[in-house]
Amino acid sequence: MYAELLKMVKNKNFYIGAACLLLLVIGAVVTGVKEYNEYVKLLQRIYHHNQNVLALTSPHFAWIGLGGYSFNVLSALYYFLFPLLLSIPLADSIYRDQSSGNLHYQLTRMGRGVYYRRKFLFAYISAFFLFLLPLLLGVVLVNLLTNHWDYSSFSHAYRQLMDGTLQLPDNSFEGEKKTLFSSLLAISPYWYIFVYYVIGGLFAGGYVCLGLAFSLVMKNRYLITLLPQIIYMVCWAVLTITNKLGWDPFNFLVPSQPVEGLSYHKIVIVFALQFMMALGVFWYGVKKNEDVL
């Protein structure tokens, strides 16, 4: 694993992908915090007498994926482009070993089974953390820019909102109720967002491993890198056209829960299908390349 890490940090594509992810996060944070500050000023003028409204107006909505108080283009782009940005440094690692002649050396040094298992595990784990870490940095940046770290007042107000005991001037905050992981949001937004980011990281690893798997059966490096993004976008297009939005990974990976019809079992089923597909293609590719010494 250490050798794989060294190869990754020496790969210029790693810095391209990581830089793009970080720029999207920083841009989304700056935009989200600006929107939050403007929205708070507006509500303070209108609802200055109602502390419940102000408690539900929390800066954590500027965290990546939660949407803020208007559509945040950069936040959405992070969730649209992460399969590509993660695949740029990771999906073609076996292809690079083949092209450089390093594959033969690695197979003779450690054996076929060990080599391919390490490649798969390293790609999955690396994609998981490359997806997760910029988002966690985004949480820290939002908190620093708003000087807000304690979200207990929001969670208390949210519990009352779910119980129907929160006194509000109208029903405009009914949309704050979440279908999934609502109990975590009632404990703390930190738990809620962390679970969503971990789920996103698990899917990110799966998409990158799909590209890695297809690199064993394809010879076009650019197609290998683009394939996870193509699969992601084709699923989004097909499920949108057929009005199966609750099954679309984009919609259930985004913490804002942008559509109705989301459920836990859909997330589990889609994740299982994605992971089995990655494993199946990878196993087939390894078998197909058994003659490589």
Side-chain angles (χ1 to χ4, degrees):
M1 288 291 187
Y2 180 70
E4 292 296 326
L5 181 61
L6 286 179
K7 283 193 283 187
M8 185 178 73
V9 298
K10 291 178 181 179
N11 182 2
K12 65 179 181 180
N13 289 336
F14 165 73
Y15 298 99
I16 294 173
C20 290
L21 291 171
L22 285 172
L23 287 173
L24 287 174
V25 166
I26 293 170
V29 165
V30 172
T31 303
V33 169
K34 181 176 181 292
E35 293 171 350
Y36 164 74
N37 290 333
E38 293 174 351
Y39 191 66
V40 166
K41 291 178 182 178
L42 175 64
L43 291 186
Q44 285 175 338
R45 290 198 300 268
I46 301 174
Y47 299 112
H48 59 88
H49 59 287
N50 194 317
Q51 292 301 311
N52 293 331
V53 171
L54 298 179
L56 286 175
T57 310
S58 171
H60 81 269
F61 285 105
W63 294 348
I64 311 302
L66 283 172
Y69 297 99
S70 63
F71 182 71
N72 191 322
V73 175
L74 295 176
S75 180
L77 275 177
Y78 191 97
Y79 279 91
F80 266 116
L81 296 178
F82 77 85
L84 172 63
L85 298 178
L86 295 174
S87 295
I88 288 172
L90 294 170
D92 66 343
S93 62
I94 295 178
Y95 176 90
R96 282 186 277 111
D97 280 351
Q98 290 174 329
S99 301
S100 65
N102 186 49
L103 179 61
H104 174 79
Y105 168 74
Q106 294 293 341
L107 292 181
T108 55
R109 186 175 68 90
M110 68 179 68
R112 180 181 304 278
V114 174
Y115 171 81
Y116 285 116
R117 282 196 299 272
R118 285 185 179 179
K119 281 291 186 181
F120 191 91
L121 287 173
F122 182 80
Y124 195 94
I125 294 170
S126 299
F128 176 89
F129 283 107
L130 281 175
F131 176 88
L132 186 69
L133 292 178
L135 295 173
L136 294 179
L137 175 63
V139 170
V140 174
L141 288 176
V142 169
N143 291 357
L144 284 173
L145 291 173
T146 60
N147 195 28
H148 195 109
W149 298 88
D150 183 6
Y151 292 95
S152 57
S153 59
F154 170 84
S155 291
H156 178 70
Y158 183 78
R159 288 194 296 272
Q160 291 183 310
L161 178 68
M162 296 301 295
D163 295 338
T165 59
L166 189 67
Q167 299 297 317
L168 293 171
D170 50 47
N171 295 324
S172 59
F173 286 88
E174 286 296 309
E176 303 302 335
K177 296 179 180 179
K178 301 300 183 184
T179 303
L180 305 180
F181 306 109
S182 185
S183 59
L184 292 178
L185 193 56
I187 298 172
S188 171
Y190 288 118
W191 282 110
Y192 177 84
I193 202 67
F194 181 71
V195 167
Y196 257 102
Y197 286 171
V198 166
I199 292 172
L202 293 174
F203 272 89
Y207 281 113
V208 168
C209 285
L210 277 170
L212 186 72
F214 277 101
S215 73
L216 293 168
V217 296
M218 293 179 175
K219 300 303 180 185
N220 188 311
R221 184 176 185 177
Y222 298 104
L223 183 57
I224 291 166
T225 304
L226 288 170
L227 195 62
Q229 184 71 38
I230 292 171
I231 294 172
Y232 185 60
M233 297 306 295
V234 167
C235 289
W236 171 75
V238 171
L239 293 169
T240 300
I241 292 170
T242 58
N243 199 29
K244 303 292 184 181
L245 299 177
W247 290 92
D248 175 29
F250 173 80
N251 289 322
F252 60 61
L253 292 182
V254 177
S256 62
Q257 301 185 24
V259 299
E260 296 179 354
L262 301 170
S263 68
Y264 299 111
H265 78 270
K266 291 176 182 177
I267 297 176
V268 173
I269 290 172
V270 174
F271 173 75
L273 290 173
Q274 181 209 48
F275 193 74
M276 286 190 295
M277 181 180 176
L279 276 178
V281 176
F282 193 78
W283 178 84
Y284 171 78
V286 171
K287 289 292 184 181
K288 186 173 181 289
N289 288 274
E290 278 185 336
D291 57 330
V292 178
L293 299 178

